[in-house]
Amino acid sequence: MSVCVESDLRSVGVFPVAVAIDVYTPAEVFVENGTTATLTCSFKSKEVISSLASVTWSFLPEGDAGNPTNFIYYGDGRVFPISLPQFISRAEWVGDLNKKDASIRVTRVQFKDNGTYVCDVKNPPDITGQPSIIKVRVVMKESLPQSSTAVIVGGVIGAVIGIIIISVVMYLIIRRQVPRRDYEGCTSVESVSSQNTRVGKKVESSTDNSSCSSPSAPLQLDHSGSRSSFHKMEPVVYADIRKN
């Protein structure tokens, strides 16, 4: 019956359309020895996820040239027993097909776990498509590459410290270049010893007797009774008056 229907479709120029499913994984993952590794796998399907959807994970040790060996199979809403002794009690299903997530987790990662991991998803009738491959590198902690987040954070911290240092240096340079404007009070050239000068010498004006003058004359309260009345104190010139 189906052969006849297909032949009828071909006779009128109609061909069945194969639906492809897209599977995505990171190309390479670095894992610290002895820690837990989560191998992420997602997929895109145009069909509604049904109970017929299935996920198969397989593993090929590093250096081997054979075919990968299946070790996790998820189907009909449950995980089947792990078939590869290497991953028994260490590999587990952590995905959710309703969220199009087919990820697994491997605990207590060892150096023998280095190799190629293959994620293959089927969602009938969406069954065609290529599986996705992950290269897992198990290394010591010192050999772990820095993540992009750590690099960004380090760069931001370095930039902030650099700005602070530049600001402090500029502040010190500007502070040194600003001249000091300390006011030094006027010192009278005329001292008490002027009393011993020759009698008859005319005393010069107060402007000549001072090395400098006050920037402004001090204000003195007018004692006439008005609180708002002020007048400037006039400089007093002292002179020796010759007695006749």
Side-chain angles (χ1 to χ4, degrees):
M1 179 72 68
S2 61
V3 176
C4 294
V5 172
E6 184 176 356
S7 61
D8 292 340
L9 290 174
R10 291 179 182 275
S11 63
V12 294
V14 179
F15 298 89
V17 178
V19 181
I21 186 170
D22 298 322
V23 184
Y24 307 95
T25 61
E28 189 174 39
V29 175
F30 287 85
V31 185
E32 180 184 351
N33 182 42
T35 62
T36 297
T38 299
L39 305 183
T40 59
C41 178
S42 60
F43 62 93
K44 184 182 295 184
S45 175
K46 295 181 180 179
E47 299 294 330
V48 178
I49 307 300
S50 66
S51 60
L52 298 177
S54 63
V55 179
T56 303
W57 277 90
S58 55
F59 170 68
L60 180 66
E62 186 174 9
D64 285 11
N67 294 323
T69 302
N70 298 341
F71 67 98
I72 283 186
Y73 178 79
Y74 179 90
D76 197 20
R78 64 190 182 95
V79 181
F80 289 80
I82 297 174
S83 58
L84 195 61
Q86 177 179 340
F87 295 103
I88 292 178
S89 74
R90 292 199 304 121
E92 57 183 344
W93 170 262
V94 293
D96 185 349
L97 292 187
N98 292 325
K99 297 180 180 180
K100 298 181 179 180
D101 182 6
S103 304
I104 62 171
R105 180 185 297 134
V106 180
T107 61
R108 304 186 304 277
V109 175
Q110 306 167 12
F111 289 110
K112 65 180 181 179
D113 296 332
N114 277 311
T116 301
Y117 292 75
V118 182
C119 177
D120 189 14
V121 182
K122 305 295 184 185
N123 183 36
D126 196 353
I127 58 175
T128 62
Q130 294 296 323
S132 191
I133 296 174
I134 306 177
K135 291 286 186 179
V136 174
R137 311 292 186 189
V138 182
V139 297
M140 299 299 294
K141 183 177 181 179
E142 296 77 11
S143 302
L144 284 174
Q146 292 186 350
S147 63
S148 58
T149 302
V151 173
I152 294 174
V153 171
V156 171
I157 293 175
V160 171
I161 294 175
I163 293 174
I164 293 175
I165 293 175
I166 293 174
S167 300
V168 172
V169 172
M170 293 298 296
Y171 170 76
L172 294 176
I173 293 175
I174 295 174
R175 187 175 180 182
R176 288 185 178 183
Q177 290 179 349
V178 174
R180 294 185 178 180
R181 298 182 178 180
D182 297 336
Y183 173 75
E184 295 181 358
C186 297
T187 304
S188 177
V189 175
E190 188 174 311
S191 62
V192 179
S193 61
S194 62
Q195 298 179 359
N196 298 328
T197 56
R198 290 183 303 170
V199 179
K201 184 178 179 182
K202 296 182 179 180
V203 180
E204 298 178 354
S205 63
S206 60
T207 55
D208 296 330
N209 291 338
S210 302
S211 59
C212 62
S213 60
S214 175
S216 62
L219 298 178
Q220 183 179 6
L221 177 63
D222 187 358
H223 297 286
S224 61
S226 176
R227 294 184 179 179
S228 61
S229 178
F230 292 88
H231 66 84
K232 293 184 178 180
M233 293 180 62
E234 295 296 334
V236 179
V237 178
Y238 295 92
D240 292 334
I241 302 176
R242 180 181 299 176
K243 296 180 180 181
N244 295 328

